[in-house]
Amino acid sequence: MPNHQKYIQEAIKEAKKSLKGGGIPIGAVLVQNGNIISRGHNRLIQKGSTILHGEMDCVENAGRLKGTDYRKCTLYTTLSPCEMCSGMVLLYKIPRVVMGENETLRGPEELLKENEVEVVNLNLPECRKMMQEYIEKNPKLWNEEMERVGY
């Protein structure tokens, strides 16, 4: 059984990096065979990007892995992956997603499950509090982002 707490704490560190840099506090790590092979965090605000969500940044930072490598990975993320990030999980056939919480935003978790991705929600108050505080302090930015992606 993987040590989910160890890896989600590393994703939380990434989320805090984003927050410190003026961004949305969402972070992710990609784990293969018990080793973190990549890290990333949300860079939408910092880079003026439309696609650099925490999960996308993490997988981008992994470089061009072999298909068989992705199939041995677990993606840890502080928030439920949106449609774009879930699509990336399906595209690269990442078999497991472990999230910190899904109350602040719930992505298409059923789609992942229907495609045989194991979805684990740790339901961590720390992740939920971090996002709720961000939203309370930055409602305009958050609402613009949610409108942009159709939530």
Side-chain angles (χ1 to χ4, degrees), residues 96-123:
R96 182 180 305 110
V97 172
V98 178
M99 68 188 79
E101 65 105 353
N102 70 354
E103 287 182 31
T104 308
L105 182 132
R106 185 181 179 107
E109 296 169 23
E110 291 307 314
L111 177 65
L112 291 173
K113 292 175 187 175
E114 289 167 8
N115 284 275
E116 300 179 7
V117 175
E118 180 185 355
V119 177
V120 178
N121 181 5
L122 299 177
N123 198 24

PDB file of all heavy atoms in Angstrom, residues 96-123:
ATOM      1  N   ARG A  96      -3.696   5.642 -11.615  1.00  0.00           N
ATOM      2  CA  ARG A  96      -4.214   6.026 -10.300  1.00  0.00           C
ATOM      3  C   ARG A  96      -4.052   7.524 -10.089  1.00  0.00           C
ATOM      4  O   ARG A  96      -2.998   8.093 -10.366  1.00  0.00           O
ATOM      5  CB  ARG A  96      -3.466   5.291  -9.193  1.00  0.00           C
ATOM      6  CG  ARG A  96      -3.968   5.594  -7.786  1.00  0.00           C
ATOM      7  CD  ARG A  96      -3.188   4.841  -6.704  1.00  0.00           C
ATOM      8  NE  ARG A  96      -3.192   3.409  -6.935  1.00  0.00           N
ATOM      9  CZ  ARG A  96      -2.114   2.701  -7.302  1.00  0.00           C
ATOM     10  NH1 ARG A  96      -0.947   3.268  -7.475  1.00  0.00           N
ATOM     11  NH2 ARG A  96      -2.206   1.399  -7.504  1.00  0.00           N
ATOM     12  N   VAL A  97      -5.113   8.147  -9.561  1.00  0.00           N
ATOM     13  CA  VAL A  97      -5.085   9.554  -9.170  1.00  0.00           C
ATOM     14  C   VAL A  97      -5.481   9.618  -7.703  1.00  0.00           C
ATOM     15  O   VAL A  97      -6.520   9.081  -7.308  1.00  0.00           O
ATOM     16  CB  VAL A  97      -6.076  10.402 -10.007  1.00  0.00           C
ATOM     17  CG1 VAL A  97      -6.167  11.817  -9.464  1.00  0.00           C
ATOM     18  CG2 VAL A  97      -5.657  10.411 -11.469  1.00  0.00           C
ATOM     19  N   VAL A  98      -4.630  10.259  -6.917  1.00  0.00           N
ATOM     20  CA  VAL A  98      -4.919  10.465  -5.494  1.00  0.00           C
ATOM     21  C   VAL A  98      -5.040  11.965  -5.285  1.00  0.00           C
ATOM     22  O   VAL A  98      -4.112  12.714  -5.595  1.00  0.00           O
ATOM     23  CB  VAL A  98      -3.804   9.877  -4.603  1.00  0.00           C
ATOM     24  CG1 VAL A  98      -4.107  10.137  -3.134  1.00  0.00           C
ATOM     25  CG2 VAL A  98      -3.635   8.381  -4.863  1.00  0.00           C
ATOM     26  N   MET A  99      -6.207  12.399  -4.781  1.00  0.00           N
ATOM     27  CA  MET A  99      -6.461  13.836  -4.624  1.00  0.00           C
ATOM     28  C   MET A  99      -6.594  14.205  -3.150  1.00  0.00           C
ATOM     29  O   MET A  99      -7.026  13.388  -2.330  1.00  0.00           O
ATOM     30  CB  MET A  99      -7.707  14.237  -5.384  1.00  0.00           C
ATOM     31  CG  MET A  99      -8.984  13.679  -4.806  1.00  0.00           C
ATOM     32  SD  MET A  99     -10.428  13.967  -5.840  1.00  0.00           S
ATOM     33  CE  MET A  99     -10.212  12.681  -7.052  1.00  0.00           C
ATOM     34  N   GLY A 100      -6.250  15.449  -2.878  1.00  0.00           N
ATOM     35  CA  GLY A 100      -6.389  15.958  -1.514  1.00  0.00           C
ATOM     36  C   GLY A 100      -7.837  16.217  -1.136  1.00  0.00           C
ATOM     37  O   GLY A 100      -8.232  15.979   0.008  1.00  0.00           O
ATOM     38  N   GLU A 101      -8.625  16.728  -2.083  1.00  0.00           N
ATOM     39  CA  GLU A 101     -10.045  16.996  -1.811  1.00  0.00           C
ATOM     40  C   GLU A 101     -10.791  17.243  -3.109  1.00  0.00           C
ATOM     41  O   GLU A 101     -10.187  17.513  -4.136  1.00  0.00           O
ATOM     42  CB  GLU A 101     -10.207  18.181  -0.852  1.00  0.00           C
ATOM     43  CG  GLU A 101      -9.731  19.516  -1.394  1.00  0.00           C
ATOM     44  CD  GLU A 101     -10.845  20.461  -1.806  1.00  0.00           C
ATOM     45  OE1 GLU A 101     -12.029  20.072  -1.812  1.00  0.00           O
ATOM     46  OE2 GLU A 101     -10.526  21.594  -2.157  1.00  0.00           O
ATOM     47  N   ASN A 102     -12.134  17.147  -3.023  1.00  0.00           N
ATOM     48  CA  ASN A 102     -12.951  17.410  -4.205  1.00  0.00           C
ATOM     49  C   ASN A 102     -14.192  18.239  -3.883  1.00  0.00           C
ATOM     50  O   ASN A 102     -15.102  18.315  -4.690  1.00  0.00           O
ATOM     51  CB  ASN A 102     -13.343  16.117  -4.913  1.00  0.00           C
ATOM     52  CG  ASN A 102     -14.335  15.290  -4.122  1.00  0.00           C
ATOM     53  OD1 ASN A 102     -14.672  15.607  -2.979  1.00  0.00           O
ATOM     54  ND2 ASN A 102     -14.802  14.208  -4.708  1.00  0.00           N
ATOM     55  N   GLU A 103     -14.224  18.878  -2.716  1.00  0.00           N
ATOM     56  CA  GLU A 103     -15.379  19.703  -2.368  1.00  0.00           C
ATOM     57  C   GLU A 103     -15.295  21.088  -2.998  1.00  0.00           C
ATOM     58  O   GLU A 103     -16.307  21.651  -3.392  1.00  0.00           O
ATOM     59  CB  GLU A 103     -15.515  19.820  -0.852  1.00  0.00           C
ATOM     60  CG  GLU A 103     -16.014  18.543  -0.214  1.00  0.00           C
ATOM     61  CD  GLU A 103     -16.184  18.673   1.278  1.00  0.00           C
ATOM     62  OE1 GLU A 103     -16.500  19.778   1.769  1.00  0.00           O
ATOM     63  OE2 GLU A 103     -15.998  17.653   1.972  1.00  0.00           O
ATOM     64  N   THR A 104     -14.089  21.631  -3.094  1.00  0.00           N
ATOM     65  CA  THR A 104     -13.913  22.959  -3.664  1.00  0.00           C
ATOM     66  C   THR A 104     -14.213  22.935  -5.157  1.00  0.00           C
ATOM     67  O   THR A 104     -14.834  23.848  -5.691  1.00  0.00           O
ATOM     68  CB  THR A 104     -12.476  23.464  -3.428  1.00  0.00           C
ATOM     69  OG1 THR A 104     -12.167  23.342  -2.039  1.00  0.00           O
ATOM     70  CG2 THR A 104     -12.332  24.904  -3.834  1.00  0.00           C
ATOM     71  N   LEU A 105     -13.765  21.899  -5.814  1.00  0.00           N
ATOM     72  CA  LEU A 105     -14.029  21.699  -7.235  1.00  0.00           C
ATOM     73  C   LEU A 105     -14.018  20.201  -7.489  1.00  0.00           C
ATOM     74  O   LEU A 105     -13.112  19.504  -7.036  1.00  0.00           O
ATOM     75  CB  LEU A 105     -12.956  22.369  -8.096  1.00  0.00           C
ATOM     76  CG  LEU A 105     -13.201  22.224  -9.598  1.00  0.00           C
ATOM     77  CD1 LEU A 105     -13.059  23.571 -10.280  1.00  0.00           C
ATOM     78  CD2 LEU A 105     -12.239  21.233 -10.203  1.00  0.00           C
ATOM     79  N   ARG A 106     -15.033  19.732  -8.165  1.00  0.00           N
ATOM     80  CA  ARG A 106     -15.097  18.303  -8.483  1.00  0.00           C
ATOM     81  C   ARG A 106     -15.019  18.133  -9.992  1.00  0.00           C
ATOM     82  O   ARG A 106     -15.907  18.559 -10.717  1.00  0.00           O
ATOM     83  CB  ARG A 106     -16.379  17.686  -7.939  1.00  0.00           C
ATOM     84  CG  ARG A 106     -16.415  16.185  -8.141  1.00  0.00           C
ATOM     85  CD  ARG A 106     -17.716  15.591  -7.612  1.00  0.00           C
ATOM     86  NE  ARG A 106     -17.728  14.177  -7.842  1.00  0.00           N
ATOM     87  CZ  ARG A 106     -17.582  13.256  -6.909  1.00  0.00           C
ATOM     88  NH1 ARG A 106     -17.434  13.609  -5.673  1.00  0.00           N
ATOM     89  NH2 ARG A 106     -17.591  11.973  -7.221  1.00  0.00           N
ATOM     90  N   GLY A 107     -13.955  17.485 -10.425  1.00  0.00           N
ATOM     91  CA  GLY A 107     -13.785  17.178 -11.835  1.00  0.00           C
ATOM     92  C   GLY A 107     -14.546  15.917 -12.206  1.00  0.00           C
ATOM     93  O   GLY A 107     -15.288  15.363 -11.395  1.00  0.00           O
ATOM     94  N   PRO A 108     -14.354  15.427 -13.415  1.00  0.00           N
ATOM     95  CA  PRO A 108     -15.097  14.254 -13.906  1.00  0.00           C
ATOM     96  C   PRO A 108     -14.527  12.932 -13.374  1.00  0.00           C
ATOM     97  O   PRO A 108     -14.010  12.108 -14.119  1.00  0.00           O
ATOM     98  CB  PRO A 108     -14.950  14.377 -15.421  1.00  0.00           C
ATOM     99  CG  PRO A 108     -13.615  15.016 -15.597  1.00  0.00           C
ATOM    100  CD  PRO A 108     -13.495  15.994 -14.454  1.00  0.00           C
ATOM    101  N   GLU A 109     -14.652  12.755 -12.079  1.00  0.00           N
ATOM    102  CA  GLU A 109     -14.099  11.551 -11.434  1.00  0.00           C
ATOM    103  C   GLU A 109     -14.743  10.278 -11.961  1.00  0.00           C
ATOM    104  O   GLU A 109     -14.082   9.244 -12.086  1.00  0.00           O
ATOM    105  CB  GLU A 109     -14.260  11.663  -9.919  1.00  0.00           C
ATOM    106  CG  GLU A 109     -13.457  12.806  -9.336  1.00  0.00           C
ATOM    107  CD  GLU A 109     -13.796  13.103  -7.886  1.00  0.00           C
ATOM    108  OE1 GLU A 109     -14.315  12.207  -7.178  1.00  0.00           O
ATOM    109  OE2 GLU A 109     -13.528  14.245  -7.451  1.00  0.00           O
ATOM    110  N   GLU A 110     -16.026  10.331 -12.275  1.00  0.00           N
ATOM    111  CA  GLU A 110     -16.714   9.141 -12.796  1.00  0.00           C
ATOM    112  C   GLU A 110     -16.134   8.727 -14.144  1.00  0.00           C
ATOM    113  O   GLU A 110     -16.003   7.537 -14.430  1.00  0.00           O
ATOM    114  CB  GLU A 110     -18.221   9.367 -12.888  1.00  0.00           C
ATOM    115  CG  GLU A 110     -18.904   9.474 -11.538  1.00  0.00           C
ATOM    116  CD  GLU A 110     -18.610   8.308 -10.599  1.00  0.00           C
ATOM    117  OE1 GLU A 110     -18.686   7.143 -11.046  1.00  0.00           O
ATOM    118  OE2 GLU A 110     -18.297   8.564  -9.422  1.00  0.00           O
ATOM    119  N   LEU A 111     -15.779   9.709 -14.963  1.00  0.00           N
ATOM    120  CA  LEU A 111     -15.147   9.407 -16.257  1.00  0.00           C
ATOM    121  C   LEU A 111     -13.836   8.656 -16.040  1.00  0.00           C
ATOM    122  O   LEU A 111     -13.542   7.681 -16.748  1.00  0.00           O
ATOM    123  CB  LEU A 111     -14.901  10.695 -17.047  1.00  0.00           C
ATOM    124  CG  LEU A 111     -14.173  10.526 -18.383  1.00  0.00           C
ATOM    125  CD1 LEU A 111     -15.018   9.719 -19.365  1.00  0.00           C
ATOM    126  CD2 LEU A 111     -13.817  11.885 -18.957  1.00  0.00           C
ATOM    127  N   LEU A 112     -13.062   9.097 -15.074  1.00  0.00           N
ATOM    128  CA  LEU A 112     -11.807   8.397 -14.774  1.00  0.00           C
ATOM    129  C   LEU A 112     -12.099   6.958 -14.348  1.00  0.00           C
ATOM    130  O   LEU A 112     -11.494   6.017 -14.860  1.00  0.00           O
ATOM    131  CB  LEU A 112     -11.025   9.141 -13.683  1.00  0.00           C
ATOM    132  CG  LEU A 112     -10.452  10.489 -14.071  1.00  0.00           C
ATOM    133  CD1 LEU A 112      -9.864  11.193 -12.854  1.00  0.00           C
ATOM    134  CD2 LEU A 112      -9.402  10.346 -15.157  1.00  0.00           C
ATOM    135  N   LYS A 113     -13.045   6.804 -13.427  1.00  0.00           N
ATOM    136  CA  LYS A 113     -13.386   5.464 -12.932  1.00  0.00           C
ATOM    137  C   LYS A 113     -13.908   4.560 -14.057  1.00  0.00           C
ATOM    138  O   LYS A 113     -13.552   3.380 -14.127  1.00  0.00           O
ATOM    139  CB  LYS A 113     -14.417   5.568 -11.808  1.00  0.00           C
ATOM    140  CG  LYS A 113     -13.870   6.205 -10.549  1.00  0.00           C
ATOM    141  CD  LYS A 113     -14.976   6.396  -9.519  1.00  0.00           C
ATOM    142  CE  LYS A 113     -14.491   7.170  -8.326  1.00  0.00           C
ATOM    143  NZ  LYS A 113     -15.571   7.464  -7.367  1.00  0.00           N
ATOM    144  N   GLU A 114     -14.753   5.131 -14.935  1.00  0.00           N
ATOM    145  CA  GLU A 114     -15.290   4.359 -16.060  1.00  0.00           C
ATOM    146  C   GLU A 114     -14.181   3.878 -16.991  1.00  0.00           C
ATOM    147  O   GLU A 114     -14.355   2.890 -17.712  1.00  0.00           O
ATOM    148  CB  GLU A 114     -16.278   5.210 -16.859  1.00  0.00           C
ATOM    149  CG  GLU A 114     -17.589   5.466 -16.151  1.00  0.00           C
ATOM    150  CD  GLU A 114     -18.409   6.562 -16.813  1.00  0.00           C
ATOM    151  OE1 GLU A 114     -18.037   7.034 -17.902  1.00  0.00           O
ATOM    152  OE2 GLU A 114     -19.429   6.960 -16.212  1.00  0.00           O
ATOM    153  N   ASN A 115     -13.050   4.571 -16.973  1.00  0.00           N
ATOM    154  CA  ASN A 115     -11.903   4.204 -17.805  1.00  0.00           C
ATOM    155  C   ASN A 115     -10.826   3.495 -16.998  1.00  0.00           C
ATOM    156  O   ASN A 115      -9.650   3.512 -17.359  1.00  0.00           O
ATOM    157  CB  ASN A 115     -11.354   5.443 -18.508  1.00  0.00           C
ATOM    158  CG  ASN A 115     -12.226   5.863 -19.653  1.00  0.00           C
ATOM    159  OD1 ASN A 115     -12.084   5.355 -20.759  1.00  0.00           O
ATOM    160  ND2 ASN A 115     -13.165   6.763 -19.401  1.00  0.00           N
ATOM    161  N   GLU A 116     -11.258   2.879 -15.907  1.00  0.00           N
ATOM    162  CA  GLU A 116     -10.417   2.009 -15.079  1.00  0.00           C
ATOM    163  C   GLU A 116      -9.264   2.720 -14.387  1.00  0.00           C
ATOM    164  O   GLU A 116      -8.229   2.124 -14.081  1.00  0.00           O
ATOM    165  CB  GLU A 116      -9.924   0.811 -15.893  1.00  0.00           C
ATOM    166  CG  GLU A 116     -11.084  -0.012 -16.418  1.00  0.00           C
ATOM    167  CD  GLU A 116     -10.643  -1.207 -17.244  1.00  0.00           C
ATOM    168  OE1 GLU A 116      -9.438  -1.493 -17.327  1.00  0.00           O
ATOM    169  OE2 GLU A 116     -11.535  -1.851 -17.815  1.00  0.00           O
ATOM    170  N   VAL A 117      -9.428   4.011 -14.111  1.00  0.00           N
ATOM    171  CA  VAL A 117      -8.461   4.736 -13.306  1.00  0.00           C
ATOM    172  C   VAL A 117      -8.918   4.631 -11.857  1.00  0.00           C
ATOM    173  O   VAL A 117     -10.088   4.899 -11.547  1.00  0.00           O
ATOM    174  CB  VAL A 117      -8.371   6.224 -13.719  1.00  0.00           C
ATOM    175  CG1 VAL A 117      -7.448   7.001 -12.786  1.00  0.00           C
ATOM    176  CG2 VAL A 117      -7.899   6.337 -15.165  1.00  0.00           C
ATOM    177  N   GLU A 118      -8.030   4.226 -10.982  1.00  0.00           N
ATOM    178  CA  GLU A 118      -8.342   4.202  -9.556  1.00  0.00           C
ATOM    179  C   GLU A 118      -8.319   5.645  -9.057  1.00  0.00           C
ATOM    180  O   GLU A 118      -7.333   6.365  -9.255  1.00  0.00           O
ATOM    181  CB  GLU A 118      -7.322   3.359  -8.801  1.00  0.00           C
ATOM    182  CG  GLU A 118      -7.588   3.305  -7.309  1.00  0.00           C
ATOM    183  CD  GLU A 118      -6.514   2.555  -6.531  1.00  0.00           C
ATOM    184  OE1 GLU A 118      -5.587   1.982  -7.149  1.00  0.00           O
ATOM    185  OE2 GLU A 118      -6.598   2.561  -5.305  1.00  0.00           O
ATOM    186  N   VAL A 119      -9.395   6.065  -8.427  1.00  0.00           N
ATOM    187  CA  VAL A 119      -9.510   7.427  -7.911  1.00  0.00           C
ATOM    188  C   VAL A 119      -9.612   7.352  -6.390  1.00  0.00           C
ATOM    189  O   VAL A 119     -10.514   6.701  -5.863  1.00  0.00           O
ATOM    190  CB  VAL A 119     -10.738   8.148  -8.501  1.00  0.00           C
ATOM    191  CG1 VAL A 119     -10.900   9.533  -7.901  1.00  0.00           C
ATOM    192  CG2 VAL A 119     -10.628   8.225 -10.023  1.00  0.00           C
ATOM    193  N   VAL A 120      -8.674   8.009  -5.711  1.00  0.00           N
ATOM    194  CA  VAL A 120      -8.644   8.014  -4.249  1.00  0.00           C
ATOM    195  C   VAL A 120      -8.774   9.458  -3.780  1.00  0.00           C
ATOM    196  O   VAL A 120      -7.982  10.312  -4.175  1.00  0.00           O
ATOM    197  CB  VAL A 120      -7.324   7.413  -3.713  1.00  0.00           C
ATOM    198  CG1 VAL A 120      -7.280   7.462  -2.192  1.00  0.00           C
ATOM    199  CG2 VAL A 120      -7.119   5.998  -4.227  1.00  0.00           C
ATOM    200  N   ASN A 121      -9.783   9.726  -2.962  1.00  0.00           N
ATOM    201  CA  ASN A 121      -9.970  11.056  -2.380  1.00  0.00           C
ATOM    202  C   ASN A 121      -9.584  10.982  -0.911  1.00  0.00           C
ATOM    203  O   ASN A 121     -10.244  10.311  -0.126  1.00  0.00           O
ATOM    204  CB  ASN A 121     -11.421  11.511  -2.531  1.00  0.00           C
ATOM    205  CG  ASN A 121     -11.660  12.894  -1.971  1.00  0.00           C
ATOM    206  OD1 ASN A 121     -10.741  13.579  -1.532  1.00  0.00           O
ATOM    207  ND2 ASN A 121     -12.904  13.311  -1.969  1.00  0.00           N
ATOM    208  N   LEU A 122      -8.516  11.690  -0.545  1.00  0.00           N
ATOM    209  CA  LEU A 122      -8.061  11.689   0.849  1.00  0.00           C
ATOM    210  C   LEU A 122      -8.889  12.633   1.718  1.00  0.00           C
ATOM    211  O   LEU A 122      -8.802  12.566   2.936  1.00  0.00           O
ATOM    212  CB  LEU A 122      -6.583  12.063   0.907  1.00  0.00           C
ATOM    213  CG  LEU A 122      -5.645  11.114   0.161  1.00  0.00           C
ATOM    214  CD1 LEU A 122      -4.210  11.628   0.218  1.00  0.00           C
ATOM    215  CD2 LEU A 122      -5.734   9.698   0.705  1.00  0.00           C
ATOM    216  N   ASN A 123      -9.675  13.517   1.089  1.00  0.00           N
ATOM    217  CA  ASN A 123     -10.571  14.420   1.801  1.00  0.00           C
ATOM    218  C   ASN A 123      -9.841  15.157   2.927  1.00  0.00           C
ATOM    219  O   ASN A 123     -10.270  15.137   4.076  1.00  0.00           O
ATOM    220  CB  ASN A 123     -11.788  13.647   2.329  1.00  0.00           C
ATOM    221  CG  ASN A 123     -12.925  14.566   2.684  1.00  0.00           C
ATOM    222  OD1 ASN A 123     -13.038  15.673   2.174  1.00  0.00           O
ATOM    223  ND2 ASN A 123     -13.777  14.109   3.583  1.00  0.00           N
TER     224      ASN A 123
END
